[in-house]
Amino acid sequence: MHMDLMLVRELVFLILQFLEEEKFKETVHRLEQESGFFFNMKYFEEKALAGEWDEVEKYLSGFTKVDDNRYSMKIFFEIRKQKYLEALDRHDRAKAVEILVKDLKVFSTFNEELYKEITLLLTMENFRQNEQLSKYGDTKSARSIMLLVFPTLKASRLRTLINQSLNWQHQLCKNPRANPDIKTLFTDHSCSPPNGARAPTPVTLPVAAVAKPSTYAPLGAHGGPFPPAAAAAAANANALAGWMANANHSSSVQPAVIAASASSLPVPQNQVSVLKHPRTPDTLGMTEYGSSDHEQLMKRLRSTQSVDEVTYPSPSQQASCSLDDLPRSVACTIHQGSNVTSMDFHPSHHTLLTVGCSNGEISLWEVGMRERLVSKPFKIWDLAACSVTFQASIVKDSSMSVSRVAWSPDGNLIGVAFTKHLVHLHAYQGSNDLRQHLEIDAHVGGVNDLAFSHPNKKLCVVTCGDDKLIKVWDLAGSKLFNFEGHEAPVYSVCPHQKENIQFIFSTAVDGKIKAWLYDNMGF
């Protein structure tokens, strides 16, 4: 892949960082001179603290442009926003309007709502009347805080990139060793064949430990186009940037409304346990068992496993993921009429959306047309074929909610898991033709998740439930596998393929993650 000038420039910066960290002072200065990429941060900060904004932008423009990347966009946005707020603070409305139109207008393309909110500050006698700007303070302190908001380059970034590359190469080894010996960077890493096959285990390669992402504080509902500042900086920057973080923003998902965007939807905290996220169907493997590679990997997995389960880190240990790359603009809003609990887009018809609701209803929407093609209220197809336990529970409490809807990889079936016992498979024939295909009394208690998989090129349904079990069914309703081993209700299942071997990963509500082969031999 061709490396353009911007990436070459960034690579030089990373090399400069590496040389600084390794104390190669003379080499640093020589490279700065030869490349011309020297950035005098002290000079930049002095000009920013003095409010010499024209000089600040002129100097910065020699190294990066507004639209080079998300980091540059964030820096230019913070500079121009500060310049705008200072004009408002001086009651220089003419200058503020000029900055709004000439300098800040470019960001409206990426976030129109943010631009509108900034514009509304013009109507206030004092912008500190805005709740999120009430602690803005004086100009000098605001400029200092602005500099803290800028995204900073993580330490040892070049080492981290090299380490990630080596880890990836190690993942591709035919016979990965537990403690790989990395002797050179000049050729791709490959473990020599060991005396006995071993299971691959996580390793720390000698170049550097893989850096965990820093904890990020999101910029809020309006922060989509810009990378977030580090949490440490955000703590000091609340007075300036906090006004963009509005947890009760009107774009939040309402219970009976589907807000469709190009990616995942914002989920209120109290709905996380209910709303399942769509899967990408092409991650499902379709390779048949039986090769020598399979036998080798099977032995490797079964013989010397040193770790057989994983526990999630506690919230205090776990770094939060940045949602910065996800789109924020709502493409359309669809009124479902009842609380939505699960959604999944058709694998190839990307505007065809299946929706499951808290009243057991499933709907099929053509999102592009805002048209509901079909709606199916919950009903039991054959009560007599269901277990006595289920029949008793449904008499006691007839309420039923959808816990998961999922399309099969070929788009011909919709799987529906319910909060009591049942799984339904609907055959999709096109348009609004949705037909009953199969009803399974799958689990005792709730069926918490459902997914499709292809062991031996045979389409199957994987389910998990409150009874701590994972089951695999064929399309005739016969149970092929029954996986026992979780000590708590199983919350989620995810079929996966490594080389030509297929697994099922599962998570339980106690935080344990387990991996299973299709062999009824436990996790």
Side-chain angles (χ1 to χ4, degrees):
M1 183 172 63
H2 174 67
M3 182 178 288
D4 62 24
L5 181 60
M6 185 183 73
L7 293 179
V8 170
R9 188 166 55 198
E10 290 182 0
L11 179 58
V12 173
F13 276 123
L14 293 182
I15 294 171
L16 283 169
Q17 182 194 55
F18 173 79
L19 293 172
E20 284 273 14
E21 292 171 347
E22 296 298 315
K23 312 297 184 191
F24 293 114
K25 298 295 184 183
E26 291 187 19
T27 309
V28 167
H29 296 316
R30 178 63 63 87
L31 181 55
E32 287 171 349
Q33 292 170 0
E34 291 185 358
S35 65
F37 291 157
F38 175 61
F39 186 83
N40 190 327
M41 189 63 194
K42 186 178 180 181
Y43 174 81
F44 178 76
E45 288 181 356
E46 284 177 357
K47 294 301 179 184
L49 291 172
E52 298 180 29
W53 302 118
D54 290 341
E55 178 59 27
V56 166
E57 283 218 23
K58 180 182 177 183
Y59 185 72
L60 189 62
S61 296
F63 299 90
T64 186
K65 307 301 180 193
V66 174
D67 56 355
D68 270 358
N69 52 58
R70 291 175 181 271
Y71 286 91
S72 63
M73 186 179 291
K74 167 68 175 170
I75 292 172
F76 277 99
F77 173 74
E78 291 297 335
I79 290 170
R80 295 175 183 183
K81 186 182 74 175
Q82 179 62 25
K83 184 166 62 168
Y84 173 68
L85 293 177
E86 289 183 16
L88 289 177
D89 213 19
R90 296 192 307 268
H91 300 287
D92 188 347
R93 298 299 173 94
K95 184 64 174 177
V97 170
E98 180 186 337
I99 295 168
L100 189 68
V101 174
K102 290 185 177 180
D103 295 338
L104 289 170
K105 181 68 175 176
V106 64
F107 301 105
S108 66
T109 307
F110 304 95
N111 199 319
E112 189 175 357
E113 288 299 317
L114 172 58
Y115 186 72
K116 288 178 181 176
E117 191 163 344
I118 292 175
T119 304
L120 286 175
L121 297 178
L122 281 169
T123 64
M124 298 180 178
E125 183 63 27
N126 184 344
F127 63 77
R128 292 172 181 82
Q129 293 170 334
N130 182 300
E131 182 182 353
Q132 302 299 330
L133 284 170
S134 59
K135 297 179 181 179
Y136 175 82
D138 58 29
T139 298
K140 185 177 180 181
S141 62
R143 288 172 181 171
S144 299
I145 291 169
M146 177 203 68
L147 290 170
L148 291 173
V149 174
F150 288 168
T152 55
L153 198 62
K154 294 176 186 176
S156 303
R157 178 63 181 157
L158 188 59
R159 286 179 175 271
T160 300
L161 292 174
I162 293 172
N163 193 66
Q164 289 171 342
S165 170
L166 291 172
N167 268 295
W168 175 247
Q169 292 171 30
H170 185 59
Q171 286 289 320
L172 299 178
C173 288
K174 291 289 185 182
N175 298 289
R177 297 165 63 182
N179 297 297
D181 185 16
I182 308 296
K183 295 180 178 179
T184 180
L185 297 178
F186 296 144
T187 58
D188 288 347
H189 159 71
S190 179
C191 289
S192 56
N195 294 330
R198 290 181 58 101
T201 55
V203 295
T204 302
L205 299 175
V207 176
V210 176
K212 292 183 179 179
S214 303
T215 301
Y216 286 108
L219 284 173
H222 307 301
F226 316 118
N236 298 317
N238 282 341
L240 180 65
W243 65 284
M244 287 183 284
N246 183 356
N248 297 315
H249 191 264
S250 59
S251 64
S252 298
V253 174
Q254 299 301 316
V257 174
I258 305 164
S261 72
S263 188
S264 299
L265 301 168
V267 182
Q269 201 103 32
N270 61 349
Q271 291 185 16
V272 170
S273 62
V274 178
L275 185 59
K276 300 268 189 178
H277 303 288
R279 291 189 182 83
T280 305
D282 59 6
T283 59
L284 300 178
M286 300 179 66
T287 309
E288 191 169 6
Y289 289 162
S291 69
S292 58
D293 286 343
H294 159 67
E295 296 299 330
Q296 185 181 45
L297 183 58
M298 185 75 79
K299 289 176 183 176
R300 197 168 85 202
L301 288 164
R302 286 287 178 207
S303 59
T304 57
Q305 278 182 308
S306 57
V307 179
D308 54 23
E309 66 183 27
V310 181
T311 304
Y312 283 120
S314 66
S316 62
Q317 298 169 315
Q318 190 174 10
S320 60
C321 296
S322 170
L323 299 180
D324 186 59
D325 290 331
L326 299 180
R328 290 294 191 277
S329 57
V330 176
C332 68
T333 301
I334 301 170
H335 294 274
Q336 171 64 34
S338 53
N339 289 350
V340 175
T341 56
S342 181
M343 299 183 292
D344 196 21
F345 279 99
H346 190 281
S348 57
H349 190 106
H350 296 153
T351 58
L352 188 61
L353 178 68
T354 303
V355 177
C357 299
S358 59
N359 59 2
E361 174 190 24
I362 66 164
S363 298
L364 204 57
W365 288 87
E366 175 52 60
V367 174
M369 304 293 292
R370 277 92 162 157
E371 179 184 358
R372 180 160 21 198
L373 303 177
V374 63
S375 179
K376 295 278 188 182
F378 171 74
K379 72 173 183 177
I380 302 168
W381 298 347
D382 187 359
L383 183 61
C386 295
S387 66
V388 175
T389 306
F390 173 70
Q391 293 184 42
S393 69
I394 206 71
V395 169
K396 186 177 179 180
D397 179 9
S398 61
S399 64
M400 184 73 80
S401 176
V402 174
S403 55
R404 162 71 84 177
V405 292
W407 285 95
S408 63
D410 57 12
N412 292 330
L413 291 171
I414 299 173
V416 187
F418 294 95
T419 51
K420 289 191 184 78
H421 286 244
L422 292 186
V423 167
H424 282 174
L425 294 183
H426 297 266
Y428 175 64
Q429 306 293 326
S431 186
N432 59 352
D433 191 1
L434 207 59
R435 300 181 183 179
Q436 297 177 4
H437 177 77
L438 179 66
E439 182 179 72
I440 308 172
D441 187 346
H443 293 270
V444 178
V447 184
N448 296 323
D449 199 9
L450 169 150
F452 291 91
S453 66
H454 277 95
N456 294 312
K457 291 188 178 179
K458 183 178 182 180
L459 184 62
C460 296
V461 181
V462 183
T463 63
C464 65
D466 287 342
D467 55 7
K468 308 176 187 178
L469 298 175
I470 300 160
K471 300 181 181 181
V472 181
W473 313 82
D474 65 19
L475 297 189
S478 297
K479 184 168 62 179
L480 304 178
F481 300 95
N482 188 72
F483 299 126
E484 299 180 50
H486 273 294
E487 299 165 351
V490 188
Y491 174 73
S492 180
V493 287
C494 179
H496 178 65
Q497 179 174 331
K498 171 73 172 177
E499 296 175 19
N500 66 334
I501 306 305
Q502 298 188 40
F503 307 77
I504 299 169
F505 287 103
S506 60
T507 66
V509 297
D510 60 359
K512 298 290 176 61
I513 305 172
K514 297 183 186 288
W516 315 77
L517 294 170
Y518 292 87
D519 60 3
N520 278 330
M521 291 178 64
F523 57 82

